[in-house]
Amino acid sequence: MEKGSNRRVKTAIYLCAILMMGAIAVASNIASIAAAFPEAGQTKVVAYLISAPCLVVILVTLVTGKLMDFVPKKTLMIAGVLFWLVGGVLPYFMDSLGLILVMRLIFGVGVGIVQSLCPALVIENFEDPAERAKVMGNMTAFQMLGAIFFSLVSGNLGRISWNIAFLVHLIAMVSLIAAVTCIPYKQPVKTSSSGEKGKFRPTAMMWVWCAAFFVYMSGAQTYANFASSLITEQGLGDTVAAGYSLACFALGGFVMGFIFGKIADIFKKLTLTVGCVVLSLSFLIMTFAANLPMSYLGAFICGLAFSICMPCILNGAGGAVPQASSGMAVSIATCMQNAGMTVCPYLVTAGGAAFAASGKLSGTQGAMLFSIIILLVLAVVFTVIGFAGNKKTI
């Protein structure tokens, strides 16, 4: 029978994981928020609401990794959820875009802490590789569940008023209660009886995993960035259809999260390779979809593949270093993840230009095809890592 303490920490990890994709919580309401601030323009609104928090996350993940050496993870998670809650909800009361930006920066601090802590808690509390893989997969499922919740609830709240959409962030109250009551209070690991704090001890394989994560996200993030443009350029639907496509993606990720452990047991060292190949297939389906159902199918498969790759890479980075260094390793990996997301639109747009030069494909389709090349190259790299890399990882 599963120990009660394990059940409690799993509950906390899962309920905090729903906040990991919080940066997209108000994405579906960008147009209505931009309409409320016509002097700013949509580009500036997107920069303030979406880009600014993501840039903060890159810095915060590194700082959080270092703080894990000195501050209990329970304390850090509570602080992260509070930043997330305050920065997310307070814009409801504001009518100044400048003040909203300040809140979004605070919100980004919360997102960065939560993104670092959730996988770090998995690695700290579950040593058995099979159980760790299962919990990491379930964590990804709840992360996707959060994306579904944000897409549906925020969109409906935004129909009432642009500022009411920010109240979707009140969901963090549930996460805060779980963090306070279910996460065990553990002092950071010490390396000696003299009380010296454990030093971060990176390995070459950890840096390989982190670099691979950066490259992976620079290609894998293409769908999320261009979903709306892809559907509208192909004449398959409007922004509402794009919203349903993102929901299909999140649903696929949610489903895979719960069966990830079994998938990892079947494919073992080739799990990441399979994930990249399936993701490439989903991109191909969406790029040339002749109708919306086909596009939605591609989005669903994309979510499945995404939730295969994410826990594998986080497991790989965290498992490639000693236990005392796993928190920082995961934070660096998360930092590289967000850096890849930031670079993605510029990289794939430039790379996809060659495909679009013939005039037979749109720029968005070209970007998708260029991303497929990135993912297939990574499939080869992950095959090599799987057989020659750290045996502790998937």
Side-chain angles (χ1 to χ4, degrees):
M1 181 179 292
E2 186 179 29
K3 294 182 180 180
S5 59
N6 281 355
R7 288 196 299 268
R8 289 169 65 87
V9 72
K10 285 180 183 179
T11 298
I13 291 170
Y14 299 156
L15 291 180
C16 290
I18 62 176
L19 309 181
M20 291 175 69
M21 295 187 72
I24 69 167
V26 293
S28 59
N29 294 289
I30 291 295
S32 60
I33 296 173
F37 300 96
E39 71 285 355
Q42 182 158 318
T43 301
K44 188 174 183 179
V45 170
V46 171
Y48 279 22
L49 269 64
I50 307 298
S51 301
C54 289
L55 291 174
V56 171
V57 168
I58 295 174
L59 174 62
V60 170
T61 50
L62 292 178
V63 175
T64 303
K66 187 63 178 176
L67 286 175
M68 288 185 208
D69 291 338
F70 306 95
V71 182
K73 292 181 177 64
K74 178 186 182 82
T75 303
L76 287 173
M77 181 63 85
I78 292 172
V81 175
L82 285 173
F83 277 118
W84 199 100
L85 180 63
V86 171
V89 173
L90 286 188
Y92 166 75
F93 302 98
M94 299 174 176
D95 57 6
S96 165
L97 194 58
L99 290 177
I100 291 176
L101 171 61
V102 174
M103 289 300 104
R104 294 299 288 178
L105 295 177
I106 293 174
F107 175 75
V109 173
V111 173
I113 294 174
V114 172
Q115 283 189 0
S116 297
L117 263 294
C118 283
L121 283 168
V122 175
I123 293 170
E124 179 182 71
N125 290 279
F126 302 95
E127 296 184 2
D128 178 68
E131 184 179 21
R132 178 184 290 179
K134 181 179 178 181
V135 177
M136 196 74 80
N138 291 346
M139 181 197 76
T140 304
F142 276 85
Q143 180 180 354
M144 291 298 184
L145 179 62
I148 297 173
F149 174 83
F150 296 137
S151 298
L152 298 179
V153 176
S154 176
N156 283 284
L157 289 176
R159 289 180 176 179
I160 302 172
S161 175
W162 69 268
N163 62 323
I164 292 180
F166 286 99
L167 294 182
V168 72
H169 297 95
L170 287 172
I171 187 64
M173 291 295 297
V174 176
S175 306
L176 181 62
I177 293 171
V180 171
T181 59
C182 297
I183 296 178
Y185 185 87
K186 297 181 180 180
Q187 288 292 342
V189 176
K190 298 179 180 180
T191 58
S192 68
S193 58
S194 63
E196 180 184 356
K197 297 290 183 182
K199 294 182 179 180
F200 175 51
R201 301 182 185 280
T203 63
M205 186 55 63
M206 185 214 78
W207 291 116
V208 170
W209 279 110
C210 291
F213 208 3
F214 171 81
V215 177
Y216 170 79
M217 289 308 301
S218 69
Q221 183 67 14
T222 303
Y223 163 69
N225 288 339
F226 295 104
S228 180
S229 298
L230 188 64
I231 287 177
T232 54
E233 286 179 4
Q234 293 173 292
L236 301 181
D238 54 14
T239 54
V240 174
Y244 286 131
S245 178
L246 288 167
C248 289
F249 164 77
L251 180 61
F254 178 71
V255 171
M256 177 53 67
F258 287 113
I259 63 174
F260 171 76
K262 294 180 179 179
I263 297 296
D265 286 340
I266 294 172
F267 293 103
K268 301 186 184 303
K269 295 179 179 181
L270 290 176
T271 303
L272 255 176
T273 301
V274 171
C276 286
V277 172
V278 174
L279 188 58
S280 299
L281 176 63
S282 74
F283 276 25
L284 192 64
I285 292 173
M286 289 185 288
T287 300
F288 297 106
N291 50 58
L292 268 180
M294 183 62 69
S295 183
Y296 289 160
L297 174 63
F300 180 79
I301 296 173
C302 180
L304 291 174
F306 202 80
S307 288
I308 291 175
C309 297
M310 292 289 286
C312 277
I313 298 174
L314 289 171
N315 253 344
V321 296
Q323 177 69 38
S325 299
S326 62
M328 187 64 182
V330 169
S331 291
I332 293 175
T334 305
C335 173
M336 298 302 286
Q337 171 193 354
N338 285 276
M341 292 168 64
T342 302
V343 168
C344 173
Y346 306 102
L347 176 65
V348 300
T349 298
F355 291 101
S358 64
K360 296 180 180 180
L361 299 174
S362 68
T364 302
Q365 288 176 311
M368 293 287 284
L369 291 179
F370 183 74
S371 298
I372 290 175
I373 294 175
I374 294 176
L375 294 169
L376 290 178
V377 170
L378 276 178
V380 176
V381 172
F382 285 138
T383 300
V384 175
I385 292 177
F387 285 102
N390 191 336
K391 295 182 180 180
K392 292 168 60 181
T393 62
I394 295 174

